[in-house]
Amino acid sequence: MRESSESQLYLSTRGGSYGLSFEDVVLKGLASDGGLFIPQEIPSLPIDWVSKWRHLSFADLALEILSLYISDAEMPTTDLKDIITRSYSKFRSPEITPLVTLDSDKNLHILELFHGPTFAFKDVALQLLGNLFEYFLVRRNEGLKGDERHHLTVIGATSGDTGSAAIYGLTGKKDISIFMLHPEGKVSPVQEAQMTTVLDSNVHNLAVQGTFDDCQDIVKALFSDPIINKTQKLAAVNSINWARILAQITYFFYGYLTLLKSPHFTPSDKVKFVVPTGNFGDVLAGYFAKRMGLPVEKLVVATNENDILDRFWKSGYYEKKPIHGLEALGGLKADGAQAHVDGVKETLSPAMDILVSSNFERLLWFLSYSSLAEGNVSTRRRFAGEKVTEYLNSLKTNGGFGVKASDLETARTDFESQRVTDAQTVQTIKDTYLAVKAKPLGSSSTLTNGSSSSSGYILDPHSAIGIFASLDSISKGVSSTSTHYVSLATAHPAKFRNAVDLALQSEVGFDFDAVLPKEFVGLEQKKRRKRQIPGDAGWQGVRTVILEELASESVG
């Protein structure tokens, strides 16, 4: 075994922590100074990575990539391989994230990320995170009994997909309890059913009378509360946890290596990955892949009408712009819209309805580090941490900040952006359904049981945003004719059925039941378990509930 490399040690984006192990950052989630964890150095790829990796399975490819960020001195390769294998054993597609060609003439492809247990891209990371939590706890608890054993209490807030993916990743895990807060009546019926029909004793669904932002505020208060932290080890599962970003790096490589197998693609062709995003986590994984050496021409940040990211790449200013009154209304309540705090524009793509993007802080660190050309590594790291802290203080105090022109140009070397409206989203779902007869790439001989139907290809509203951004870039001639677009499909359309119905209900031959997963049939009629939280309970009331449930769980 060798010592950990710089890429296997971690620091906080705000400068308060350095030299942390992978285990530390996974279990902590958030740095003590409020920052997010990143590797102290981004690893480079082996010289022969293409020939060595191009025929690997998804799981074997994940092992190669994750090993660059996790020291075998900390986790033996055989253990990491076992964790990865178990994490992806429940995916419905053998390719885990299959690549499908939507239009060979336009070099347009879609990377389907929704073949995990909950039919959303978050399964790729949260199945892995659940097994990592369990691995570290088993190791820490070896030889310990009773109250001596380490116990992890996972607390999270969700407007839909994160909750079900986290619950499915942690259900039945020994020495782990999960408490997931969701706004009562403001997530889609499918999403609520996926969460509340899991009856394992370590799973606790708390239905809060309020908004998603109320749930988030409660979670933040609990993580800062000395009383619950005195007796419980709290852990986070949202995208601030570095392990989630790390897990998602793999499918950017897998998509590219699958594309290499296409007769229409040559190594000299260029690739753009188009990522529908709100919190910036998914596309950030692509940034790490690109910095490692994946030959990506650009990462396209595709936003809905909550466009703080698009406005940044257009102007260099990162500013909250709350929307109120009639202008803020939109989306479909039945699909999970109207779960957010006043100021967010409600859209047909509710998973992307945000005011600020929490993972953007990680990119700010790298931009700040690059902007200081002089000084040694320690000096530049310290400068980056101070600069990130300054930016975020300005965001909190003034509602935003601007970066230097040179920093914006640096950001534009890796990214471009596109804002997509609800009207454009609906039209894209309709146009794709009517025009596309999709073709699988890679080892699959037939289309996966995802969003394909006998009539056409069905997109969910979030994935449609990526396809619109791809087609818009193609139509404007932004890239050469040898550029291939790989757009990420983040959820199965059945999770947002009402938006799909809005787009396709008038189309002759459209039958949503033809692509309804068997796992969804009868789901809403299954037995459920959840605990109601009154709107006036506050975070202290939720703390009391959590401690009560933990006591009951330990007795049971």
Side-chain angles (χ1 to χ4, degrees), residues 113-124 161 165 490-492 495:
L113 307 180
F114 50 71
H115 294 284
T118 71
F119 296 79
F121 82 97
K122 296 176 181 180
D123 288 321
V124 177
D161 281 343
T490 55
H492 191 286
K495 300 206 75 170

Side-chain angles (χ1 to χ4, degrees), residues 9-21:
L9 295 172
Y10 295 86
L11 58 80
S12 166
T13 51
R14 301 189 193 181
S17 301
Y18 295 92
L20 277 73
S21 69

Side-chain angles (χ1 to χ4, degrees), residues 153-388:
T153 301
V154 176
I155 303 177
T158 184
S159 59
D161 281 343
T162 296
S164 56
I167 287 169
Y168 277 55
L170 293 173
T171 180
K173 301 294 187 188
K174 191 174 183 180
D175 294 317
I176 301 175
S177 300
I178 178 169
F179 291 83
M180 190 56 60
L181 286 67
H182 71 270
E184 174 74 355
K186 295 178 180 177
V187 299
S188 77
V190 167
Q191 290 170 326
E192 181 174 333
Q194 282 186 314
M195 292 187 289
T196 58
T197 56
V198 178
L199 305 179
D200 294 64
S201 61
N202 74 318
V203 174
H204 307 270
N205 282 287
L206 306 183
V208 177
Q209 294 293 328
T211 68
F212 167 65
D213 301 86
D214 294 328
C215 297
Q216 276 196 317
D217 288 343
I218 291 170
V219 171
K220 290 176 183 177
L222 289 169
F223 272 89
S224 301
D225 173 43
I227 295 178
I228 195 169
N229 280 278
K230 186 177 181 179
T231 59
Q232 306 299 323
K233 171 64 178 176
L234 304 187
V237 289
N238 61 13
S239 60
I240 63 171
N241 195 303
W242 163 249
R244 283 191 55 177
I245 306 299
L246 175 59
Q248 293 169 175
I249 294 173
T250 300
Y251 51 68
F252 286 90
F253 280 91
Y254 192 78
Y256 176 80
L257 293 170
T258 303
L259 197 57
L260 283 180
K261 301 170 187 176
S262 168
H264 303 292
F265 184 84
T266 65
S268 62
D269 288 347
K270 296 179 180 179
V271 181
K272 286 187 175 183
F273 279 91
V274 186
V275 187
T277 189
N279 245 344
F280 201 69
D282 209 1
V283 73
L284 183 72
Y287 173 76
F288 277 95
K290 189 175 189 296
R291 288 284 304 270
M292 289 169 69
L294 187 67
V296 178
E297 181 183 16
K298 284 288 179 69
L299 295 157
V300 182
V301 176
T303 78
N304 63 17
E305 292 168 81
N306 295 287
D307 58 355
I308 187 171
L309 293 171
D310 179 60
R311 286 185 280 111
F312 171 79
W313 264 277
K314 297 291 195 296
S315 69
Y317 288 90
Y318 186 81
E319 297 176 297
K320 295 179 184 179
K321 284 194 175 180
I323 300 173
H324 302 282
L326 293 176
E327 188 182 356
L329 298 180
L332 296 168
K333 184 177 181 180
D335 274 351
Q338 301 170 30
H340 303 275
V341 74
D342 186 31
V344 171
K345 166 66 177 174
E346 304 294 353
T347 74
L348 296 175
S349 46
M352 295 160 57
D353 289 349
I354 51 89
L355 274 179
V356 295
S357 303
S358 59
N359 276 290
F360 191 67
E361 177 173 339
R362 287 180 160 118
L363 179 65
L364 284 174
W365 189 93
F366 286 104
L367 294 177
S368 300
Y369 182 89
S370 298
S371 71
L372 184 64
E374 300 177 351
N376 57 29
V377 170
S378 296
T379 300
R380 297 175 73 188
R381 286 175 180 170
R382 184 168 58 253
F383 171 80
E386 292 170 352
K387 198 66 182 175
V388 168

